[in-house]
Structures are given as C-alpha cells and as structure tokens.
Amino acid sequence: MVQPKRNILITGGAGFIGSHVVRLFVNKYPEYHIYNLDKLTYAGNLENLKDIEDKPNYTFIKEDICNYEAILEIFQKYNINGVIHLAAESHVDRSIKDPFTFAQTNVMGTLSLLQAAKVCWDGKYEGKRFYHISTDEVYGSLEFDGTFFTEETKYDPHSPYSASKASSDHFVRAYHDTYGLPTIVTNCSNNYGPYQFPEKLIPLFINNILEGKPLPVYGKGENVRDWLYVEDHARAIDLIFHEGKIADTYNIGGFNEWKNIDLIKVIIKTVDRLLGKPEGTSDHLITYVTDRAGHDLRYAIDSNKLKNELGWEPSLQFEEGIEKTVRWYLDNQKWIKNITSGGYESYYNTIYKYLFK
Ligand code: NAD
Ligand code: DAU
C-alpha cells in the first residue's frame, strides 16, 4: 500500500526546542512536509530557523493555537496527519506574574489543537499521531533522597506554569480515552543549548557575564535540575514520534543532576576560559537574591523506559554540551543582542513589561 504523505504540524517551532525539532525534521525527512505554526510571542524568533527557511518541504504559519477556527482550517487545508505540539508559555517566573496567559495558551491552546485533530481526523486514526511535549515539572519536587520521577509518579504541580502543563497533559490523555485520538505524551527535564531565550538560567547567565552584570542566584542556589542538551531532546522526539506506543508516556532526561550554584560556577569558569580571562575573574558577579516563590527543590528524571523500549540515550556528556553551548553564545552575540537590545522586541513583550513588571 502507498503510504500517504506525512504532513506534520509542529507548533512552537520558532521557540527554543521547537526550532531544533523543525530543523531536524526538515533536514532528515525531505519526503515530509513540515508546517511550523507559531504565534511569535516574545519567545518566538524566526532568526532561529534562517538556515532552513527556504527548504521546499517547510512552511511557516503565523497563528495562535488558541484560535480554534483557524487551526481547524489549517488541519483541513494542509491535510495534517501528524502533530508535534510544543507551543507554550514556558517560563516559570512569568507564570508567577501572569498565570492567565499560561492557562490560556497552555490549556486552551492545547484543547483547541486536540479538538481540531479530532474533528478533522473524524475517527480515521490510521497513521495519525498527536504528540504532546510536556515537562518533568508536572511531577512536583523531590527531596535529596536519590529518588527519580518515573512515568508512574503522581502529578503534583506547584507553579502556575506546571499546573497549566499538567492540565494540558490531562486533556491530551482524556482525548485518547474518550475519543480514541492517537496521542503520546513525553515529560522532559531542563533543556540547554543554542537559541534558548535569555530569560532562562544558562543563556541569561552567559550574557550577564559577558556584560559584567550580576548573576541573580535564587535562594541559596541549592535547587537541583537535571540538564539535557536540546539536540538530544529533539532526537528523542523524532524517535518517539515514529516508534512510540500510542496512549503511552515517556520520560526524557539526562541523568545529569546539578545543584544550581555548582552549575553556575561551571558556566562562569567556561566563559572566562573561552574569553581568555584568568580563572575566578567573574566570580564576584554571583549575587544571592530572594528565592522564586514555590521554588521546587529537586527534579530528576528516570528515562530508563525510553532507553529499554526504544533504545534512546543522551549522546552528549555535560562537559561537552556546556562547552558547545557557551561557544555558541559567544559566537552568536548578534543573535542575543538583537533580543536584549529590544530591537527585536515584540508587542507582546512590551505590554508584558508595562502590565506585570
Ligand atoms: P519557548 O518559550 O522557547 O518557545 C515557545 C514557542 O511557542 C515560541 O516560539 C512562542 O512564540 C510559541 N507560542 C507561545 N504561545 C503560542 C500560541 N498561543 N500560539 C502559537 N505559538 C505560541 O519554549 P521551549 O523552552 O522551547 O519549550 C517548548 C515546549 O517544551 C513547551 O511546551 C515546554 O513546556 C516544553 N518543555 C520545555 C523544557 C525546557 O527546558 N525549555 C523542558 C521540558 C519541556
Ligand atoms: O524542568 C523542565 C523545565 O525547565 C521546563 O518545563 C521549563 O519550560 C523551563 O523553563 C525550565 O524551568 P526552570 O524553572 O527549571 O528553568 P530556569 O532556567 O528558569 O531555572 C533553572 C533553575 O535556576 C531554577 O532552579 C531557578 C534558578 N534560577 C533561574 C533564573 C532565571 C536562578 O537561580 N536565577 C535566575 O535568574
């Protein structure tokens, strides 16, 4: 039987992780058509995809996932038969200041995509796939006791961001259980690498070191995160999209836990070294500040299910990953300056500043 052409809708493809996923799919699968749907909020940046924007199997669509009528039309017009859903409000600190936007985008936006897929596919689910990208933050917080989040860990979100992601995960599973929609959910740990918006710890701190600005460490810097290089996450998404079991959940992580303060010291050391400055030059920039409200103590992902069932493992050692990442930000200061100078700043970001800062 001739397989129908894969027309894949990737949402949030102009963001950090989404741009790596779009790039991987466009380059690896010239026989597919990749539709990158993104609203271009403050976090969406088409500069991230300059190298593939002219490829014949790639189309960018500027749209809001919450606009159900428009989304349904896109499903029908382009005969979408696969979805990889990454579009979201992703920054915990913003969610504390503006929870409504998080509920709107992350919950209602996901619902709008699910409903469009259900209506468009109309029970003909053969070969179809709705893959929802989620976070380990839905599981809550661990103690320093060597335990891990597994796929069986109960949801216990604490921030408005993680509550909105948890809610969207539940809607995705409900659409499978109620309507049979062929869904998959993955929950991943902290990503790092090129093209990450400089509000997140690693790019923010690299940029502040370059500018000689303080490095705001929340609380005592003792919180622990599990870091994964973004291209390894994109590889996992590719594998799971093609070979993951419908209705299943997979955890994705790096088995790479770092206490924030230790990670920050590695970043400082790496930046100073690559700039040819003596070790310790930028240590004085470390500034302890008021803790994030509801700050989860520790995240650690057990991704053995993914390893055992589909053979995925992180390919990059952290030392190599962080070196590559720091080098990328040093080599691409134009990219970061375009964001931090405000030259790039969108309307959304402007009103965010006035309303919530
Ligand atoms: P990001 O903030 O860098 O990018 C989000 C993208 O979504 C942006 O391009 C933005 O314009 C777009 N977007 C936002 N609202 C939209 C809307 N209403 N309609 C259409 N597009 C919209 O986020 P990221 O860090 O790349 O995260 C991507 C996904 O992965 C999110 O779902 C996030 O929850 C999840 N995730 C992120 C991490 C991480 O460490 N960054 C880890 C695990 C899971
Ligand atoms: O765990 C996955 C999650 O990782 C994703 O779902 C989120 O989308 C992503 O933003 C990320 O969330 P975190 O809150 O862990 O990432 P962030 O980079 O904001 O912070 C990492 C840690 O560093 C966290 O413990 C808070 C701390 N931090 C962060 C910033 C921005 C600081 O100490 N100072 C800072 O200025």
Side-chain angles (χ1 to χ4, degrees), residues 122-190:
D122 193 25
K124 294 174 205 70
Y125 293 145
E126 183 71 34
K128 310 283 198 314
R129 218 149 249 235
F130 189 109
Y131 178 2
H132 173 65
I133 308 300
S134 191
T135 170
D136 59 359
E137 300 204 10
V138 298
Y139 296 126
S141 185
L142 297 165
E143 295 299 323
F144 293 121
D145 57 3
T147 55
F148 291 88
F149 297 134
T150 73
E151 288 79 1
E152 273 69 52
T153 304
K154 273 216 168 94
Y155 274 30
D156 182 23
H158 298 143
S159 71
Y161 164 68
S162 53
S164 69
K165 291 296 290 186
S167 173
S168 65
D169 295 7
H170 290 319
F171 268 108
V172 173
R173 295 190 179 105
Y175 263 66
H176 172 267
D177 296 348
T178 309
Y179 309 112
L181 202 76
T183 58
I184 297 183
V185 177
T186 56
N187 299 84
C188 188
S189 63
N190 285 62

Side-chain angles (χ1 to χ4, degrees), residues 209-222:
I209 297 167
L210 289 174
E211 295 190 349
K213 286 185 182 163
L215 307 175
V217 181
Y218 297 164
K220 294 184 178 145
E222 282 176 350

Side-chain angles (χ1 to χ4, degrees), residues 11-19 37-45 63-66 85-91 104-106 109 132-136 161 165 186-192 195-197 199-200 227 233:
T11 71
F16 166 48
I17 302 171
S19 62
L37 185 144
D38 199 297
K39 182 182 172 183
L40 299 183
T41 67
Y42 78 94
N45 187 352
E63 191 50 80
D64 185 340
I65 54 168
C66 300
H85 172 36
L86 296 113
E89 288 294 336
S90 68
H91 193 45
Q104 176 67 11
T105 295
N106 298 359
H132 173 65
I133 308 300
S134 191
T135 170
D136 59 359
Y161 164 68
K165 291 296 290 186
T186 56
N187 299 84
C188 188
S189 63
N190 285 62
N191 286 216
Y192 71 100
Y195 300 113
Q196 186 166 33
F197 195 81
E199 63 189 349
K200 307 286 180 359
W227 294 92
H233 188 189

Side-chain angles (χ1 to χ4, degrees), residues 11 68 149 221 230 281 296:
T11 71
Y68 171 69
F149 297 134
V230 63
T281 304
D296 287 332

Side-chain angles (χ1 to χ4, degrees), residues 7-22:
N7 295 315
I8 301 174
L9 185 70
I10 300 182
T11 71
F16 166 48
I17 302 171
S19 62
H20 288 275
V21 177
V22 166

